[in-house]
Amino acid sequence: MHSGTRGGGILVYLTLTGWGIGMIQSYGGVAAMIRVSTPEIPVVGIRPHLIERRASDVLAAFPGDVLYAVKCNDHPVVLRALFDAGVRHFDTASIKEIRLVRGLFPEAACHFMHPVKSLEAIAEAYFAHGVRRYVLDHPRELDKIVAATGAAEDLELFVRVAVPGDGALLTLTGKFGATVEESIALLRQCKTVARSTGVTFHVGSQCLAPQAFERAIGIVAGIIDEVGGIDHLDVGGGFPAAYTGDEPPFEAFVAAILRAVGEHGLTCGLQCEPGRLLVADGASVFARVELRRGQALYLNDGVYGNLAELKWVGPQFPTRALGVHGPRGGRQVSFDLFGPTCDSIDSMPGPHWLAADVADGDWIEVGMMGAYSCALRTDFNGFAAAHTVLLDDEAWYDVTRLGTDRLACAA
Ligand SMILES: Cc1ncc(COP(=O)(O)O)c(C=O)c1O
């Protein structure tokens, strides 16, 4: 629940995670924020209108249920923006995420999509929160679900199938997922106890190849055929955010999914679990330059704070330098970035393109940081704190042109 003013003022929101009331300052834009706010700690600026816009587009383009992967960013303002856009299903992986979503939106559906759960979490999800949809990839997990729910007769059980992750920047292979033979055996077992059954897979995060979904659907189609059909096909997450503008659009993935579904004659209901795609462009991180040493900038935020993705995804996020008078223009040159902790892992090698005259005390705005980065923040080495604000402006970059701009800068 949130209420309050937009375009400058305080926004009050209620989060039921801790039964507390949070207050967030709201600004008309980055310029207004910089004029009045000079916090010593990093700032996370959420743009809920961008999240709403993206979610509406995704809901319109996907012919099935869209489950938001809560792990990606569980800030109540982010969840509210998604709900306001029409998202009513949530991929929850822990009991804490389920409590959060059910507390904020009692009418929304949570689906417990983690293949390994505690008995206590399954029981609370089923009896206290009405969760009926569970994922598993091992026969003992099936035993746990049956036992913890008192052999419930209304379970909807999904088997997670292992699929290749080669189209993705961040592969998720090797930890979860049953082989084809295991999946067939598991689904047969599920069919004896469940009200409905499904399969799910994840091709890896920031997947740049729509064909990866076609290939994965080809794998699960064989399984579905072998067990005589199922009720639901969950194609997972992995759809890319447009960090550079060169990524295939969501519509290309939907077309590939529908092509494969048609080719294999699948008639089950469809669902997907996007995280990154829905929220990446909904937040910027503002980090202050504490020291410039040549082409190296030492920031007050880094890999252990809000900028982990700058290391793990790489230097492809839109960046700009903000001086006291606003954005610095002029010639763009490449920088390496370093975070504030003493650990040398806390480095984010470039090229990060910023104005050549960036100086100590400037803010670096890193755009498209709504996915994972803030969610991964730790307080290692005493540098955790971040100040969260709301921004009503549009992002400054045009993602469709970023790739070309960078080539021009590099020339
Ligand atoms: C089971 C599951 N579903 C969905 C997601 C969201 O993936 P993405 O943010 O790449 O869309 C993840 C991410 O780890 C996941 O593990």
Side-chain angles (χ1 to χ4, degrees), residues 11-377:
L11 183 136
V12 178
Y13 68 93
L14 183 62
T15 159
L16 299 188
T17 11
W19 297 95
I21 290 182
M23 306 244 277
I24 291 195
Q25 184 73 41
S26 169
Y27 296 98
V30 172
M33 180 187 86
I34 296 246
R35 245 192 333 270
V36 298
S37 163
T38 52
E40 195 192 332
I41 57 175
V43 175
V44 175
I46 302 177
R47 295 185 172 97
H49 55 291
L50 297 189
I51 297 173
E52 274 189 57
R53 208 181 291 162
R54 174 72 63 189
S56 302
D57 290 349
V58 170
L59 287 169
F62 190 76
D65 289 338
V66 175
L67 285 57
Y68 170 60
V70 175
K71 61 181 78 74
C72 196
N73 189 327
D74 65 357
H75 196 286
V77 167
V78 169
L79 298 177
R80 166 56 66 184
L82 291 165
F83 189 83
D84 286 349
V87 174
R88 292 292 179 273
H89 296 268
F90 292 85
D91 155 15
T92 41
S94 67
I95 197 64
K96 205 171 161 194
E97 289 181 356
I98 292 172
R99 288 180 200 147
L100 170 65
V101 172
R102 299 293 294 163
L104 288 169
F105 317 118
E107 64 274 52
C110 288
H111 308 290
F112 213 154
M113 305 310 275
H114 194 306
V116 183
K117 301 162 282 298
S118 73
L119 283 168
E120 295 87 341
I122 299 166
E124 183 180 331
Y126 184 85
F127 291 107
H129 305 291
V131 176
R132 295 295 177 263
R133 219 163 254 198
Y134 297 83
V135 164
L136 58 132
D137 67 0
H138 193 277
R140 282 213 301 284
E141 187 71 9
L142 176 58
D143 295 342
K144 281 162 58 187
I145 295 169
V146 170
T149 60
E153 291 178 357
D154 55 357
L155 294 169
E156 302 187 294
L157 299 179
F158 282 60
V159 170
R160 168 96 171 242
V161 180
V163 296
D166 20 310
L169 221 55
L170 301 165
T171 164
L172 296 178
T173 52
K175 184 166 180 182
F176 297 123
T179 64
V180 168
E181 292 71 29
E182 290 165 347
S183 301
I184 292 168
L186 263 177
L187 273 171
R188 286 192 174 128
Q189 271 185 284
C190 289
K191 281 180 166 222
T192 65
V193 295
R195 182 177 70 192
S196 70
T197 54
V199 291
T200 181
F201 57 79
H202 200 303
V203 297
S205 204
Q206 191 67 5
C207 175
L208 300 173
Q211 321 79 272
F213 284 82
E214 292 185 83
R215 194 171 41 194
I217 291 170
I219 293 170
V220 299
I223 298 170
I224 295 170
D225 189 42
E226 195 65 34
V227 301
I230 54 164
D231 306 288
H232 318 279
L233 170 60
D234 180 334
V235 298
F239 310 102
Y243 296 129
T244 69
D246 293 331
E247 300 82 357
F250 181 56
E251 288 72 14
F253 290 86
V254 175
I257 289 165
L258 291 181
R259 215 165 28 243
V261 163
E263 230 168 70
H264 297 284
L266 301 178
T267 53
C268 31
L270 274 182
Q271 66 180 49
C272 64
E273 306 167 12
R276 183 183 296 282
L277 169 72
L278 287 174
V279 298
D281 43 12
S284 280
V285 170
F286 299 84
R288 197 170 68 178
V289 179
E290 303 296 7
L291 181 80
R292 174 173 178 174
R293 182 193 281 170
Q295 295 313 105
L297 301 179
Y298 291 77
L299 307 178
N300 67 351
D301 203 1
V303 174
Y304 293 100
N306 298 287
L307 298 177
E309 293 253 302
L310 281 198
K311 187 168 190 96
W312 308 125
V313 173
Q316 52 177 293
F317 293 78
T319 45
R320 65 171 173 171
L322 304 160
V324 279
H325 302 298
R328 287 187 186 271
R331 198 165 59 93
Q332 304 272 304
V333 296
S334 160
F335 287 89
D336 294 319
L337 304 178
F338 294 90
T341 72
C342 299
D343 192 337
S344 54
I345 287 173
D346 200 2
S347 61
M348 298 151 282
H352 299 284
W353 297 98
L354 293 161
D357 59 348
V358 60
D360 294 357
D362 280 4
W363 289 91
I364 305 301
E365 178 174 359
V366 186
M368 303 208 63
M369 295 301 281
Y372 298 108
S373 273
C374 309
L376 295 169
R377 183 170 64 226

